[in-house]
């Protein structure tokens, strides 16, 4: 086994202590000092440099059946991370290599080498592999182009448009030839970002007036595609503005993640009959076959500056929970990342 010297004696990691009811509270979690993991045969030890916090993690904190197994109480949580190999007991990965993996919420992680993807810090900054060139980027790409069957000339509406996924959806639509791109966000500052930096044709602050009213004003000719990150009022408004043969791709519904009672469904689903529209949910994990195409195309746009992105970076393992809670509040612009 090859390794680097001077590893700390303990490994700090975040555990889930109790399942949140409604909005997660700090008392539901604990930052724990654990033994430093030792890589077994075929494994590597990675010093995590950047951690990802994402909305879907809220679902894994509940015991309800979902597409991913719940986090186990009293044990370390999981999430995307990118870091440096500091010890290797596996062929193909050496000390000093940088990898993307799924054992975040901790400072060091021992994992099977086959569960790590080597990344090149010379091709893009390491945090980009958690955002624009990582899971959120592929989510935007697959959801817009495959699930929503985007076509050149479509008018596209994106909710949560200043977030890691939404900001890329709008820009991808523009770069692919959308006729009109509309975004919603929760602050006037984020609305200006959508218009001035990301090239949206129209944008609005959903907190200032009813979403349906603002969407009709922003897209008087209706929308062909709605990319849903929010659910609730946004989904109902999008159905109300959907054109003939319109498509809705459901990526997330962050507005209801902390609800303790089932949220009421859209009251205007009958419009799907009139418009011949469709609603389809999707999971990024079902579209891994698109990754090479996605990395090649989006990587080119990132390098040329045609596709822009923002990151909100929180410093320190001790602030990982606050970064996650801030994400649920909408404090972030772009991808929320924790730097260790």
């Amino acid at each position: 086994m090859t390794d680097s010297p001077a590893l700390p004696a303990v490994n700090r990691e975040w555990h889930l202590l109790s399942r949140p009811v409604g909005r997660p509270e700090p008392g539901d979690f604990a930052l724990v000092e654990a033994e430093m993991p030792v890589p077994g045969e075929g494994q590597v030890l990675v010093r995590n440099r950047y951690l990802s916090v994402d909305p879907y993690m809220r679902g894994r904190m509940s015991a309800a059946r979902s597409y991913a197994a719940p986090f186990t109480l009293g044990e370390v949580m999981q999430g995307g991370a990118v870091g440096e190999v500091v010890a290797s007991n596996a062929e193909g990965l050496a000390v000093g290599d940088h990898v993307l993996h799924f054992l975040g919420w901790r400072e060091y992680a021992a994992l099977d080498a086959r569960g790590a993807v080597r990344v090149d810090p010379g091709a893009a900054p390491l945090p980009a592999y958690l955002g624009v060139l990582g899971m959120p980027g592929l989510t935007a790409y697959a959801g817009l182009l495959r699930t929503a069957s985007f076509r050149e000339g479509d008018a596209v509406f994106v909710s949560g448009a200043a977030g890691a996924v939404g900001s890329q959806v709008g820009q991808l639509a523009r770069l692919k030839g959308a006729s009109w791109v509309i975004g919603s966000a929760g602050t006037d500052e984020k609305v200006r970002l959508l218009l001035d930096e990301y090239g949206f044709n129209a944008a609005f602050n959903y907190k200032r007036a009813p979403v349906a009213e603002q969407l009709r004003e922003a897209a008087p000719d209706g929308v062909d595609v709605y990319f849903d990150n929010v659910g609730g009022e946004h989904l109902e408004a999008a159905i109300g503005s959907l054109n003939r043969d319109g498509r809705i791709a459901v990526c997330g519904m962050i507005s209801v993640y902390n609800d303790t009672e089932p949220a009421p469904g859209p009251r205007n689903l009958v419009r799907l009959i009139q418009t011949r529209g469709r609603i389809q949910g999707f999971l990024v994990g079902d579209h891994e076959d698109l990754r090479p195409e996605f990395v090649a195309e989006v990587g080119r746009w990132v390098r040329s500056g045609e596709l822009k992105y923002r990151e909100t970076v929180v410093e320190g393992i001790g602030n990982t929970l606050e970064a996650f809670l801030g994400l649920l509040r909408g404090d972030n612009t772009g991808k929320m990342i924790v730097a260790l």
Side-chain angles (χ1 to χ4, degrees):
M1 182 173 71
T2 58
D3 57 18
S4 60
L7 294 178
V10 297
N11 184 33
R12 290 185 294 172
E13 53 189 40
W14 281 96
H15 290 201
L16 181 66
L17 300 184
S18 58
R19 303 207 181 276
V21 177
R23 184 170 297 276
E25 299 292 341
D28 296 322
F29 309 85
L31 182 60
V32 174
E33 289 189 348
E35 291 185 10
M36 179 60 60
V38 177
E41 186 67 29
Q43 291 191 324
V44 293
L45 180 66
V46 178
R47 179 185 177 187
N48 289 331
R49 297 291 187 178
Y50 297 94
L51 308 179
S52 176
V53 290
D54 301 282
Y56 79 87
M57 294 174 176
R58 175 62 184 88
R60 296 196 66 190
M61 293 171 188
S62 299
R65 183 178 177 181
S66 185
Y67 59 85
F71 292 134
T72 302
L73 293 180
E75 295 187 8
V76 62
M77 295 182 290
Q78 299 173 343
V82 64
E84 180 182 356
V85 175
V86 295
S88 177
N89 202 11
E91 295 183 7
L93 286 176
V95 171
D97 286 342
H98 291 84
V99 295
L100 172 69
H101 63 90
F102 201 66
L103 295 184
W105 289 84
R106 69 199 82 186
E107 292 177 304
Y108 289 81
L111 61 142
D112 292 343
R114 63 177 179 268
V117 177
R118 186 186 284 108
V119 297
D120 182 3
L126 287 178
Y129 293 103
L130 295 174
V132 65
L133 295 177
M135 182 269 289
L138 181 58
T139 300
Y141 194 87
L144 177 68
L145 302 182
R146 179 173 282 174
T147 305
S149 305
F150 171 83
R151 298 187 289 262
E152 185 176 355
D154 279 344
V156 177
F157 171 43
V158 188
S159 58
V165 174
S167 60
Q168 282 197 244
V169 173
Q171 293 183 82
L172 287 171
R174 175 175 54 78
L175 290 165
K176 289 284 191 179
S179 62
W180 200 248
V181 179
I182 312 101
S184 71
T187 69
D188 292 344
E189 181 182 10
K190 290 180 180 180
V191 168
R192 289 192 295 271
L193 175 67
L194 297 180
L195 297 171
D196 298 342
E197 186 168 330
Y198 294 155
F200 282 60
N201 300 104
F204 58 85
N205 182 342
Y206 68 86
K207 296 177 181 177
R208 289 194 169 274
V211 175
E213 174 186 312
Q214 295 193 79
L215 180 57
R216 283 194 298 269
E217 183 177 347
D221 296 323
V223 298
D224 303 296
V225 168
Y226 170 49
F227 193 103
D228 190 14
N229 290 307
V230 175
E233 184 186 1
H234 278 80
L235 178 57
E236 185 170 297
I239 293 171
S241 286
L242 204 63
N243 289 332
R244 168 74 184 266
D245 297 317
R247 289 89 65 202
I248 295 174
V250 181
C251 173
M253 293 190 175
I254 197 169
S255 70
V256 302
Y257 285 171
N258 293 320
D259 288 356
T260 56
E261 298 292 336
R267 297 166 296 180
N268 57 348
L269 286 174
V270 68
R271 286 210 76 248
L272 296 178
I273 303 171
Q274 301 159 5
T275 62
R276 290 72 152 179
R278 66 173 167 87
I279 303 176
Q280 182 176 345
F282 74 99
L283 297 176
V284 65
D286 295 335
H287 303 281
E288 278 295 324
D289 61 298
L290 289 177
R291 186 175 293 277
E293 172 189 325
F294 154 71
V295 171
E297 188 165 31
V298 173
R300 184 173 65 251
W301 283 328
V302 169
R303 288 190 296 273
S304 70
E306 293 174 271
L307 194 150
K308 304 179 188 302
Y309 65 97
R310 291 282 191 96
E311 296 165 344
T312 299
V313 180
V314 174
E315 299 284 344
I317 185 72
N319 291 317
T320 305
L321 176 60
E322 180 53 32
F324 174 72
L325 298 178
L327 176 73
L328 296 182
R329 293 191 299 264
D331 294 352
N332 60 303
T333 299
K335 182 74 186 78
M336 181 71 91
I337 289 173
V338 181
L340 304 189

